[in-house]
Amino acid sequence: MSSNEDKDTPREALPPADKQDNAPESEPAVTPDSYTEKSSGTSGTSGAKTGALWFFVVLLLLAVIALFAGAYWYWTQRTDNTQSLVDAQRTQQQEVSSLSGELRELKGEIASLKRERSEQDQKITNLLSTNEQLVQQSESVQQQLENLEGRRPADWLIAEADYLVRMAGRKLWLEQDIRTAIMLLVNADKRLKSLSDPSVLPVRAKLAEDIQMLQQLNPVSHTSVALALSGMLNQVKGLPLDTFEKPAMAGDTTSNDVSESTADWLDNLKAVWRSLVDDFISVKDLNGPIEPVLDQQARWLVKEQLRFQIMNAQSAALSANQALYSQSLQNAQTILIEKFDIETSQVAGFINALQNLVDTDISRDIPTELASQKPLENLLDQRVKQVFGQGASAL
Protein backbone atom coordinates (compact mmCIF):
# COMPACT_ATOMS: atom_id res chain seq x y z
CA MET A 1 0.00 0.00 0.00
CA SER A 2 2.76 2.38 0.63
CA SER A 3 4.05 1.94 -2.90
CA ASN A 4 0.74 2.71 -4.40
CA GLU A 5 0.43 5.68 -2.16
CA ASP A 6 3.82 6.74 -3.25
CA LYS A 7 2.83 6.33 -6.86
CA ASP A 8 -0.35 8.20 -6.49
CA THR A 9 1.19 10.97 -4.52
CA PRO A 10 2.99 12.66 -7.44
CA ARG A 11 -0.13 12.60 -9.35
CA GLU A 12 -2.05 14.24 -6.73
CA ALA A 13 0.65 16.78 -6.41
CA LEU A 14 0.18 17.95 -9.88
CA PRO A 15 -1.52 21.25 -10.18
CA PRO A 16 -4.90 21.52 -11.75
CA ALA A 17 -5.36 22.01 -15.41
CA ASP A 18 -6.08 25.67 -15.31
CA LYS A 19 -2.87 26.17 -13.39
CA GLN A 20 -1.02 24.14 -15.94
CA ASP A 21 -2.00 26.47 -18.62
CA ASN A 22 -0.51 29.31 -16.74
CA ALA A 23 2.63 27.41 -15.92
CA PRO A 24 5.80 28.23 -17.72
CA GLU A 25 6.56 26.29 -20.72
CA SER A 26 9.80 24.92 -19.53
CA GLU A 27 8.60 22.42 -16.81
CA PRO A 28 11.23 20.87 -14.71
CA ALA A 29 11.60 17.17 -14.75
CA VAL A 30 10.83 15.00 -11.82
CA THR A 31 13.92 13.98 -9.93
CA PRO A 32 14.55 11.48 -7.14
CA ASP A 33 15.21 14.33 -4.71
CA SER A 34 11.76 15.66 -5.14
CA TYR A 35 10.39 12.24 -4.62
CA THR A 36 12.20 11.95 -1.34
CA GLU A 37 10.79 15.22 -0.11
CA LYS A 38 7.33 14.08 -0.91
CA SER A 39 7.82 10.84 1.00
CA SER A 40 8.97 12.77 4.03
CA GLY A 41 5.80 14.88 3.93
CA THR A 42 3.65 11.79 4.14
CA SER A 43 5.62 10.48 7.10
CA GLY A 44 5.06 13.79 9.01
CA THR A 45 1.34 13.48 8.58
CA SER A 46 1.37 10.00 10.16
CA GLY A 47 3.35 11.33 13.19
CA ALA A 48 0.85 14.08 13.65
CA LYS A 49 -1.93 11.56 13.86
CA THR A 50 -0.04 9.56 16.50
CA GLY A 51 0.53 12.71 18.59
CA ALA A 52 -3.11 13.54 18.37
CA LEU A 53 -3.92 10.06 19.54
CA TRP A 54 -1.65 10.41 22.54
CA PHE A 55 -3.14 13.81 23.26
CA PHE A 56 -6.60 12.29 23.34
CA VAL A 57 -5.37 9.45 25.58
CA VAL A 58 -3.79 11.91 28.01
CA LEU A 59 -6.87 14.08 27.85
CA LEU A 60 -9.03 11.03 28.57
CA LEU A 61 -6.75 10.06 31.45
CA LEU A 62 -7.00 13.58 32.86
CA ALA A 63 -10.74 13.40 32.44
CA VAL A 64 -10.86 10.10 34.34
CA ILE A 65 -8.63 11.53 37.06
CA ALA A 66 -10.81 14.62 37.20
CA LEU A 67 -13.86 12.38 37.34
CA PHE A 68 -12.39 10.36 40.23
CA ALA A 69 -11.34 13.59 41.99
CA GLY A 70 -14.81 15.01 41.51
CA ALA A 71 -16.35 11.78 42.77
CA TYR A 72 -14.04 11.81 45.81
CA TRP A 73 -14.82 15.47 46.50
CA TYR A 74 -18.53 14.79 46.10
CA TRP A 75 -18.31 11.78 48.42
CA THR A 76 -16.34 13.81 50.97
CA GLN A 77 -18.83 16.69 50.83
CA ARG A 78 -21.68 14.28 51.02
CA THR A 79 -20.14 12.60 54.09
CA ASP A 80 -19.50 15.98 55.73
CA ASN A 81 -23.00 17.08 54.90
CA THR A 82 -24.38 13.82 56.30
CA GLN A 83 -22.41 14.27 59.54
CA SER A 84 -23.52 17.89 59.72
CA LEU A 85 -27.08 16.77 59.13
CA VAL A 86 -26.73 14.11 61.86
CA ASP A 87 -25.26 16.69 64.26
CA ALA A 88 -27.92 19.19 63.31
CA GLN A 89 -30.60 16.53 63.75
CA ARG A 90 -29.17 15.56 67.16
CA THR A 91 -29.02 19.24 68.17
CA GLN A 92 -32.57 19.70 66.98
CA GLN A 93 -33.64 16.63 68.94
CA GLN A 94 -31.98 18.02 72.07
CA GLU A 95 -33.63 21.39 71.49
CA VAL A 96 -36.95 19.64 70.89
CA SER A 97 -36.45 17.63 74.11
CA SER A 98 -35.56 20.80 76.02
CA LEU A 99 -38.54 22.59 74.54
CA SER A 100 -40.72 19.62 75.45
CA GLY A 101 -39.49 19.82 79.07
CA GLU A 102 -40.10 23.58 79.16
CA LEU A 103 -43.50 22.96 77.62
CA ARG A 104 -44.34 20.45 80.33
CA GLU A 105 -43.17 22.92 83.00
CA LEU A 106 -45.23 25.65 81.40
CA LYS A 107 -48.22 23.33 81.34
CA GLY A 108 -47.68 22.55 85.04
CA GLU A 109 -47.37 26.27 85.86
CA ILE A 110 -50.46 26.99 83.80
CA ALA A 111 -52.35 24.26 85.65
CA SER A 112 -51.12 25.64 89.00
CA LEU A 113 -52.12 29.15 87.98
CA LYS A 114 -55.51 27.83 86.96
CA ARG A 115 -55.93 26.17 90.36
CA GLU A 116 -54.81 29.33 92.16
CA ARG A 117 -57.12 31.38 90.03
CA SER A 118 -59.95 28.99 90.85
CA GLU A 119 -59.14 29.27 94.56
CA GLN A 120 -58.94 33.05 94.31
CA ASP A 121 -62.25 33.11 92.50
CA GLN A 122 -63.76 30.95 95.24
CA LYS A 123 -62.34 33.25 97.93
CA ILE A 124 -63.61 36.31 96.10
CA THR A 125 -67.00 34.65 95.84
CA ASN A 126 -66.99 33.88 99.57
CA LEU A 127 -65.88 37.43 100.39
CA LEU A 128 -68.58 38.86 98.20
CA SER A 129 -71.14 36.63 99.90
CA THR A 130 -69.86 37.61 103.35
CA ASN A 131 -69.83 41.25 102.33
CA GLU A 132 -73.42 40.98 101.18
CA GLN A 133 -74.40 39.38 104.49
CA LEU A 134 -72.60 42.10 106.45
CA VAL A 135 -74.26 44.78 104.35
CA GLN A 136 -77.63 43.20 105.01
CA GLN A 137 -76.93 42.96 108.74
CA SER A 138 -75.70 46.55 108.80
CA GLU A 139 -78.79 47.72 106.99
CA SER A 140 -80.95 45.69 109.40
CA VAL A 141 -79.19 47.16 112.45
CA GLN A 142 -79.40 50.64 110.98
CA GLN A 143 -83.09 50.16 110.34
CA GLN A 144 -83.62 48.89 113.87
CA LEU A 145 -81.70 51.83 115.31
CA GLU A 146 -83.82 54.19 113.30
CA ASN A 147 -86.94 52.43 114.55
CA LEU A 148 -85.89 52.72 118.20
CA GLU A 149 -86.55 56.47 118.29
CA GLY A 150 -85.16 56.74 121.78
CA ARG A 151 -87.23 53.95 123.29
CA ARG A 152 -86.00 52.34 126.51
CA PRO A 153 -82.78 54.36 126.85
CA ALA A 154 -82.47 53.29 130.49
CA ASP A 155 -81.76 49.69 129.42
CA TRP A 156 -78.10 50.64 129.12
CA LEU A 157 -78.06 51.04 132.89
CA ILE A 158 -78.27 47.26 133.06
CA ALA A 159 -74.92 47.04 131.24
CA GLU A 160 -73.44 49.52 133.72
CA ALA A 161 -74.77 47.48 136.66
CA ASP A 162 -73.27 44.33 135.13
CA TYR A 163 -69.89 46.07 134.89
CA LEU A 164 -70.07 47.14 138.54
CA VAL A 165 -70.88 43.59 139.66
CA ARG A 166 -67.91 42.27 137.68
CA MET A 167 -65.62 44.83 139.31
CA ALA A 168 -66.96 43.86 142.74
CA GLY A 169 -66.05 40.23 142.05
CA ARG A 170 -62.49 41.21 141.05
CA LYS A 171 -62.04 43.30 144.19
CA LEU A 172 -63.37 40.45 146.30
CA TRP A 173 -61.36 37.57 144.83
CA LEU A 174 -58.13 39.23 143.73
CA GLU A 175 -57.66 41.87 146.43
CA GLN A 176 -60.02 40.55 149.14
CA ASP A 177 -61.29 44.09 149.57
CA ILE A 178 -64.73 43.53 151.06
CA ARG A 179 -65.60 47.17 151.67
CA THR A 180 -64.99 48.19 148.06
CA ALA A 181 -66.90 45.15 146.81
CA ILE A 182 -69.92 46.09 148.96
CA MET A 183 -69.79 49.67 147.68
CA LEU A 184 -69.74 48.49 144.03
CA LEU A 185 -72.71 46.17 144.61
CA VAL A 186 -74.68 48.98 146.26
CA ASN A 187 -74.02 51.24 143.24
CA ALA A 188 -75.15 48.47 140.89
CA ASP A 189 -78.39 48.16 142.84
CA LYS A 190 -78.88 51.93 142.52
CA ARG A 191 -78.56 51.68 138.72
CA LEU A 192 -81.23 48.99 138.57
CA LYS A 193 -83.45 50.88 141.00
CA SER A 194 -83.38 53.94 138.74
CA LEU A 195 -84.97 51.88 135.93
CA SER A 196 -88.30 51.67 137.78
CA ASP A 197 -88.84 48.35 136.01
CA PRO A 198 -90.48 45.45 137.92
CA SER A 199 -88.71 42.90 135.71
CA VAL A 200 -85.37 43.69 137.41
CA LEU A 201 -86.66 42.96 140.91
CA PRO A 202 -85.36 39.35 140.97
CA VAL A 203 -81.89 40.61 140.09
CA ARG A 204 -82.07 43.28 142.79
CA ALA A 205 -83.03 40.56 145.28
CA LYS A 206 -79.87 38.66 144.37
CA LEU A 207 -77.85 41.85 144.78
CA ALA A 208 -79.30 42.41 148.23
CA GLU A 209 -78.42 38.83 149.11
CA ASP A 210 -74.79 39.37 148.02
CA ILE A 211 -74.55 42.63 149.98
CA GLN A 212 -75.87 41.04 153.17
CA MET A 213 -73.55 38.08 152.77
CA LEU A 214 -70.47 40.34 152.37
CA GLN A 215 -71.51 42.51 155.31
CA GLN A 216 -71.63 39.44 157.55
CA LEU A 217 -68.03 38.59 156.73
CA ASN A 218 -65.25 39.50 159.12
CA PRO A 219 -64.53 43.18 158.48
CA VAL A 220 -61.00 43.01 159.92
CA SER A 221 -58.46 44.21 157.39
CA HIS A 222 -55.69 41.69 156.92
CA THR A 223 -53.44 44.43 155.65
CA SER A 224 -53.91 46.43 158.85
CA VAL A 225 -53.02 43.41 161.00
CA ALA A 226 -49.93 42.75 158.89
CA LEU A 227 -48.83 46.37 159.21
CA ALA A 228 -49.29 46.25 163.01
CA LEU A 229 -47.07 43.16 163.19
CA SER A 230 -44.51 44.84 160.95
CA GLY A 231 -44.32 47.76 163.41
CA MET A 232 -43.77 45.34 166.30
CA LEU A 233 -40.88 43.71 164.45
CA ASN A 234 -38.95 46.96 164.63
CA GLN A 235 -39.40 47.06 168.46
CA VAL A 236 -37.90 43.61 169.13
CA LYS A 237 -34.35 44.92 168.98
CA GLY A 238 -34.88 47.26 171.96
CA LEU A 239 -36.64 44.80 174.30
CA PRO A 240 -34.55 44.00 177.43
CA LEU A 241 -33.70 40.36 178.16
CA ASP A 242 -33.98 38.70 181.56
CA THR A 243 -30.21 38.22 182.20
CA PHE A 244 -28.00 38.01 185.30
CA GLU A 245 -26.78 41.39 186.70
CA LYS A 246 -23.97 41.86 189.16
CA PRO A 247 -25.50 42.86 192.54
CA ALA A 248 -24.19 45.76 194.62
CA MET A 249 -21.84 44.82 197.49
CA ALA A 250 -23.49 44.84 200.92
CA GLY A 251 -21.81 45.55 204.32
CA ASP A 252 -18.65 47.58 203.96
CA THR A 253 -19.42 50.88 202.34
CA THR A 254 -15.94 52.28 202.86
CA SER A 255 -14.68 54.07 199.81
CA ASN A 256 -11.73 52.54 198.00
CA ASP A 257 -10.53 55.82 196.59
CA VAL A 258 -6.83 56.61 197.06
CA SER A 259 -5.93 60.07 198.33
CA GLU A 260 -3.07 62.11 196.95
CA SER A 261 -1.60 63.01 200.36
CA THR A 262 1.50 61.09 201.51
CA ALA A 263 0.34 61.30 205.08
CA ASP A 264 -2.55 58.93 204.27
CA TRP A 265 -0.27 56.15 203.03
CA LEU A 266 -1.76 53.63 205.44
CA ASP A 267 -5.32 54.38 204.34
CA ASN A 268 -4.25 54.24 200.71
CA LEU A 269 -2.67 50.83 201.25
CA LYS A 270 -5.85 49.51 202.84
CA ALA A 271 -7.92 50.92 199.99
CA VAL A 272 -5.74 49.21 197.39
CA TRP A 273 -5.99 45.93 199.29
CA ARG A 274 -9.78 46.13 199.50
CA SER A 275 -9.93 46.91 195.78
CA LEU A 276 -7.87 43.83 194.94
CA VAL A 277 -9.98 41.60 197.16
CA ASP A 278 -13.24 42.95 195.73
CA ASP A 279 -12.08 42.32 192.14
CA PHE A 280 -11.11 38.70 192.77
CA ILE A 281 -13.90 37.56 195.08
CA SER A 282 -17.58 38.54 195.28
CA VAL A 283 -20.20 36.88 197.38
CA LYS A 284 -24.00 37.31 197.13
CA ASP A 285 -26.83 35.46 198.80
CA LEU A 286 -29.69 34.63 196.37
CA ASN A 287 -33.04 33.02 197.05
CA GLY A 288 -34.69 30.94 194.25
CA PRO A 289 -33.50 28.98 191.19
CA ILE A 290 -30.24 30.01 189.58
CA GLU A 291 -30.62 31.28 185.99
CA PRO A 292 -27.74 30.87 183.52
CA VAL A 293 -26.05 33.94 182.11
CA LEU A 294 -26.77 34.60 178.37
CA ASP A 295 -23.84 35.54 176.17
CA GLN A 296 -24.05 37.90 173.19
CA GLN A 297 -24.80 35.16 170.64
CA ALA A 298 -27.54 33.65 172.79
CA ARG A 299 -29.19 37.06 173.18
CA TRP A 300 -29.18 37.58 169.41
CA LEU A 301 -30.65 34.11 168.88
CA VAL A 302 -33.50 34.75 171.33
CA LYS A 303 -34.49 37.98 169.62
CA GLU A 304 -34.32 36.35 166.18
CA GLN A 305 -36.64 33.59 167.38
CA LEU A 306 -39.13 36.22 168.50
CA ARG A 307 -38.85 38.00 165.14
CA PHE A 308 -39.39 34.72 163.30
CA GLN A 309 -42.63 33.99 165.15
CA ILE A 310 -43.95 37.50 164.49
CA MET A 311 -43.08 37.19 160.77
CA ASN A 312 -44.97 33.87 160.62
CA ALA A 313 -47.99 35.55 162.15
CA GLN A 314 -47.73 38.36 159.61
CA SER A 315 -47.69 35.92 156.66
CA ALA A 316 -50.64 34.00 158.15
CA ALA A 317 -52.60 37.24 158.52
CA LEU A 318 -52.16 38.09 154.84
CA SER A 319 -53.31 34.61 153.80
CA ALA A 320 -56.18 34.52 156.36
CA ASN A 321 -54.76 31.40 158.03
CA GLN A 322 -56.26 31.69 161.50
CA ALA A 323 -54.59 28.57 162.96
CA LEU A 324 -51.06 29.55 161.98
CA TYR A 325 -51.68 33.14 162.99
CA SER A 326 -52.80 32.25 166.53
CA GLN A 327 -50.06 29.64 167.04
CA SER A 328 -47.30 32.02 165.94
CA LEU A 329 -48.47 34.78 168.29
CA GLN A 330 -48.72 32.35 171.20
CA ASN A 331 -45.16 31.17 170.55
CA ALA A 332 -44.03 34.78 170.54
CA GLN A 333 -45.72 35.36 173.91
CA THR A 334 -44.01 32.28 175.37
CA ILE A 335 -40.59 33.55 174.25
CA LEU A 336 -41.29 36.96 175.78
CA ILE A 337 -42.31 35.50 179.15
CA GLU A 338 -39.38 33.07 179.36
CA LYS A 339 -36.51 35.11 177.92
CA PHE A 340 -37.37 38.78 178.40
CA ASP A 341 -37.72 40.96 181.47
CA ILE A 342 -41.49 41.11 181.89
CA GLU A 343 -41.19 43.50 184.83
CA THR A 344 -40.24 46.34 182.49
CA SER A 345 -43.02 48.43 181.02
CA GLN A 346 -41.63 47.99 177.52
CA VAL A 347 -41.92 44.19 177.56
CA ALA A 348 -45.28 44.33 179.37
CA GLY A 349 -46.73 46.66 176.72
CA PHE A 350 -45.38 44.40 173.95
CA ILE A 351 -47.08 41.38 175.52
CA ASN A 352 -50.38 43.27 175.79
CA ALA A 353 -50.18 44.27 172.12
CA LEU A 354 -49.59 40.66 171.12
CA GLN A 355 -52.55 39.58 173.25
CA ASN A 356 -54.81 42.07 171.44
CA LEU A 357 -53.67 40.64 168.12
CA VAL A 358 -54.25 37.10 169.36
CA ASP A 359 -57.84 38.02 170.19
CA THR A 360 -58.32 39.41 166.64
CA ASP A 361 -60.23 37.07 164.33
CA ILE A 362 -58.75 37.08 160.84
CA SER A 363 -60.71 34.13 159.46
CA ARG A 364 -62.80 34.94 156.40
CA ASP A 365 -64.93 32.67 154.21
CA ILE A 366 -65.07 34.51 150.91
CA PRO A 367 -67.67 33.07 148.45
CA THR A 368 -66.46 31.67 145.16
CA GLU A 369 -69.12 33.51 143.15
CA LEU A 370 -71.75 36.21 143.49
CA ALA A 371 -75.40 35.19 143.34
CA SER A 372 -76.37 38.26 141.29
CA GLN A 373 -73.77 37.94 138.55
CA LYS A 374 -75.37 35.22 136.41
CA PRO A 375 -78.99 36.56 136.56
CA LEU A 376 -77.73 40.03 135.65
CA GLU A 377 -75.86 38.66 132.61
CA ASN A 378 -78.99 36.80 131.47
CA LEU A 379 -81.09 39.94 131.89
CA LEU A 380 -78.61 41.98 129.86
CA ASP A 381 -78.56 39.42 127.03
CA GLN A 382 -82.35 39.27 127.00
CA ARG A 383 -82.75 43.05 126.77
CA VAL A 384 -80.15 43.37 124.01
CA LYS A 385 -81.84 40.66 121.95
CA GLN A 386 -85.23 42.30 122.41
CA VAL A 387 -83.87 45.59 121.16
CA PHE A 388 -81.69 44.41 118.28
CA GLY A 389 -83.25 41.10 117.43
CA GLN A 390 -81.04 38.82 115.32
CA GLY A 391 -78.49 41.59 114.92
CA ALA A 392 -77.47 41.17 118.57
CA SER A 393 -75.27 38.20 117.65
CA ALA A 394 -73.24 40.46 115.36
CA LEU A 395 -72.53 42.85 118.22
Side-chain angles (χ1 to χ4, degrees):
M1 289 180 66
S2 62
S3 62
N4 292 332
E5 290 177 358
D6 292 341
K7 290 181 180 181
D8 292 339
T9 301
R11 293 176 183 173
E12 292 175 358
L14 292 178
D18 54 353
K19 292 183 180 180
Q20 291 180 2
D21 294 337
N22 295 329
E25 294 179 359
S26 57
E27 182 178 4
V30 177
T31 63
D33 295 333
S34 60
Y35 179 78
T36 303
E37 293 176 355
K38 293 179 180 179
S39 299
S40 60
T42 304
S43 177
T45 303
S46 177
K49 291 181 177 181
T50 302
L53 181 59
W54 280 105
F55 174 76
F56 283 112
V57 170
V58 172
L59 183 63
L60 182 60
L61 182 61
L62 292 176
V64 171
I65 292 172
L67 181 61
F68 276 106
Y72 176 76
W73 177 83
Y74 175 74
W75 177 258
T76 304
Q77 293 295 324
R78 184 178 179 181
T79 303
D80 294 340
N81 292 334
T82 303
Q83 186 66 32
S84 299
L85 289 174
V86 171
D87 295 340
Q89 186 176 4
R90 185 180 296 109
T91 303
Q92 289 178 357
Q93 289 178 355
Q94 293 177 355
E95 292 179 354
V96 169
S97 178
S98 177
L99 291 174
S100 299
E102 293 179 356
L103 182 61
R104 286 193 298 270
E105 292 179 357
L106 289 175
K107 288 181 178 179
E109 292 179 357
I110 291 173
S112 177
L113 290 175
K114 287 182 178 179
R115 288 194 300 270
E116 292 180 357
R117 182 176 179 181
S118 178
E119 293 176 357
Q120 293 294 334
D121 292 340
Q122 184 65 30
K123 290 180 180 179
I124 291 173
T125 303
N126 295 334
L127 289 175
L128 290 175
S129 177
T130 304
N131 188 24
E132 291 179 358
Q133 293 178 0
L134 292 176
V135 170
Q136 293 176 359
Q137 291 179 359
S138 177
E139 292 177 354
S140 176
V141 171
Q142 184 67 28
Q143 185 65 30
Q144 291 172 0
L145 289 175
E146 291 177 357
N147 294 334
L148 286 177
E149 296 180 356
R151 292 178 300 174
R152 304 176 68 90
D155 286 345
W156 294 105
L157 293 175
I158 300 177
E160 187 175 353
D162 179 69
Y163 172 76
L164 292 175
V165 171
R166 291 176 185 271
M167 289 300 298
R170 293 176 182 176
K171 285 290 184 179
L172 183 63
W173 298 315
L174 297 180
E175 303 179 13
Q176 296 185 356
D177 190 352
I178 298 178
R179 295 181 180 178
T180 305
I182 293 174
M183 181 184 66
L184 292 173
L185 292 177
V186 170
N187 290 330
D189 183 68
K190 290 181 179 179
R191 300 295 188 278
L192 297 178
K193 182 180 179 181
S194 62
L195 290 174
S196 300
D197 189 353
S199 62
V200 300
L201 290 178
V203 179
R204 291 189 60 193
K206 293 294 183 179
L207 281 173
E209 180 181 348
D210 290 334
I211 294 171
Q212 291 296 326
M213 181 265 298
L214 293 181
Q215 288 178 348
Q216 293 174 2
L217 293 178
N218 188 3
V220 175
S221 175
H222 295 168
T223 304
S224 300
V225 175
L227 292 175
L229 291 172
S230 178
M232 297 181 69
L233 283 173
N234 298 328
Q235 300 177 4
V236 172
K237 186 177 180 181
L239 295 178
L241 293 169
D242 186 12
T243 58
F244 175 78
E245 296 181 0
K246 184 179 179 180
M249 296 297 296
D252 188 8
T253 58
T254 306
S255 176
N256 294 331
D257 296 336
V258 180
S259 64
E260 297 178 357
S261 176
T262 57
D264 298 332
W265 63 270
L266 184 58
D267 294 335
N268 292 336
L269 182 60
K270 291 179 179 180
V272 171
W273 174 255
R274 285 193 299 268
S275 178
L276 291 174
V277 172
D278 293 340
D279 290 336
F280 280 101
I281 301 173
S282 61
V283 179
K284 179 182 179 182
D285 294 332
L286 296 176
N287 295 324
I290 299 175
E291 297 292 339
V293 180
L294 297 177
D295 57 3
Q296 188 68 25
Q297 183 177 2
R299 295 179 182 182
W300 176 84
L301 182 60
V302 169
K303 291 186 178 181
E304 287 301 318
Q305 289 177 351
L306 179 60
R307 288 173 56 87
F308 175 74
Q309 295 299 331
I310 295 176
M311 291 176 64
N312 280 342
Q314 185 180 21
S315 176
L318 292 175
S319 60
N321 190 342
Q322 180 65 37
L324 179 61
Y325 173 78
S326 300
Q327 186 63 40
S328 298
L329 291 182
Q330 291 175 3
N331 293 337
Q333 286 181 332
T334 302
I335 294 174
L336 283 170
I337 295 173
E338 293 179 355
K339 302 297 183 180
F340 289 82
D341 189 2
I342 60 176
E343 295 181 357
T344 61
S345 59
Q346 189 175 2
V347 176
F350 199 90
I351 294 175
N352 292 331
L354 283 179
Q355 186 60 42
N356 293 331
L357 291 175
V358 170
D359 296 336
T360 302
D361 184 13
I362 63 170
S363 61
R364 182 179 296 169
D365 297 330
I366 297 177
T368 57
E369 63 179 355
L370 296 175
S372 60
Q373 186 172 358
K374 192 64 178 179
L376 188 57
E377 290 178 359
N378 296 333
L379 178 62
L380 180 62
D381 293 339
Q382 182 181 359
R383 290 299 180 90
V384 170
K385 289 182 180 180
Q386 287 180 357
V387 174
F388 295 100
Q390 298 298 327
S393 58
L395 297 178

